[in-house]
Amino acid sequence: MEMNHTTKIQIHGIVQGVGFRPFVYKTAIKHSLTGYVLNCGRGVEIMVTGSDSEIERFLSDLQTKSTPLSKIYSIKTTRVPGKDFRDFMIKTSKKHSGAGSSIIPPDTGICDDCLQELFDPTNRRYLYPFTVCTNCGPRYTTVYDLPYDRGKTPMIDFPLCDACNIEYRSPEDRRYHAQPTCCPACGPKIRLIASKN
Ligand SMILES: [Zn+2]
Ligand SMILES: [Zn+2]
């Protein structure tokens, strides 16, 4: 049986608002690692406990299998004294430390999965213009401040409905921790008002 170790990983790049934390979560579970991930001012911080070989594979997955919109500029790993975590979790972001800061990702066009939902009459987001997921949608134009969290975007005025909340909290869902997610029941509405001639 291999000994467990704890490693702290600091990642700098386009890793906020692009589904990176959920990706880290799923990858950690896949490699039976415990610990946490959180957004911090300059990127994300990850702490993992597990065997060296699994941590090695985890690091390799982070660099080769990340989400479409993320971009890693640097990874720093530090061995720290062993810590026992009960599970792996996405923790609340650290308070923004001011200067420096991470990179805000650009807005991107709708992805194929969302497009399919948009035109599926049986889908609850059928023809809903603000359909987004972790892999697509607005970023730059909605970020008031970092770390990127829903509370720091205009979406703070649109609390999630139950159905959206379930998606937001399900690690297997495409909208897990997708900050701008919403639906016709809870999101912004749009109206076309005819001008008078
Ligand atoms: Zn999408
Ligand atoms: Zn909703």
Side-chain angles (χ1 to χ4, degrees):
M1 178 94 186
E2 267 189 274
M3 275 270 289
N4 277 352
H5 289 113
T6 302
T7 299
K8 180 179 178 178
I9 304 159
Q10 286 158 300
I11 300 182
H12 188 213
I14 302 177
V15 288
Q16 291 190 15
V18 290
F20 194 75
R21 284 181 302 171
F23 161 72
V24 169
Y25 173 90
K26 284 183 218 171
T27 308
I29 302 291
K30 176 179 151 198
H31 293 292
S32 314
L33 301 176
T34 58
Y36 64 81
V37 56
L38 52 78
N39 278 348
C40 54
R42 301 183 65 83
V44 296
E45 181 184 302
I46 305 167
M47 195 75 92
V48 282
T49 296
S51 67
D52 281 345
S53 53
E54 288 296 350
I55 292 176
E56 217 39 66
R57 265 170 259 172
F58 172 75
L59 282 167
S60 153
D61 277 0
L62 289 191
Q63 290 164 89
T64 56
K65 299 188 174 149
S66 189
T67 60
L69 302 181
S70 64
K71 217 175 197 63
I72 294 175
Y73 295 146
S74 69
I75 296 192
K76 189 179 160 211
T77 60
T78 320
R79 177 69 68 85
V80 296
K83 282 193 179 114
D84 271 327
F85 299 102
R86 276 187 32 238
D87 48 18
F88 193 88
M89 60 187 292
I90 294 179
K91 289 220 289 196
T92 316
S93 302
K94 271 187 185 170
K95 283 263 181 293
H96 189 203
S97 51
S101 236
S102 90
I103 296 119
I104 305 172
D107 295 352
T108 51
I110 192 163
C111 73
D112 289 345
D113 290 331
C114 286
L115 208 53
Q116 207 184 335
E117 291 175 350
L118 188 65
F119 294 112
D120 173 3
T122 66
N123 193 280
R124 68 193 187 86
R125 290 189 174 86
Y126 180 54
L127 299 185
Y128 182 59
F130 302 108
T131 295
V132 295
C133 75
T134 337
N135 300 324
C136 71
R139 296 291 190 281
Y140 185 80
T141 50
T142 61
V143 174
Y144 293 149
D145 196 9
L146 295 170
Y148 177 68
D149 277 317
R150 191 176 181 89
K152 287 178 179 158
T153 74
M155 299 312 285
I156 192 172
D157 294 325
F158 300 93
L160 294 172
C161 68
D162 288 349
C164 284
N165 204 19
I166 289 169
E167 293 170 344
Y168 185 86
R169 291 177 188 287
S170 309
E172 296 316 312
D173 198 280
R174 206 169 89 248
R175 294 191 171 90
Y176 182 58
H177 280 251
Q179 307 306 340
T181 189
C182 59
C183 76
C186 63
K189 311 262 188 288
I190 191 165
R191 262 191 315 157
L192 188 61
I193 302 168
S195 63
K196 286 188 187 114
N197 289 317

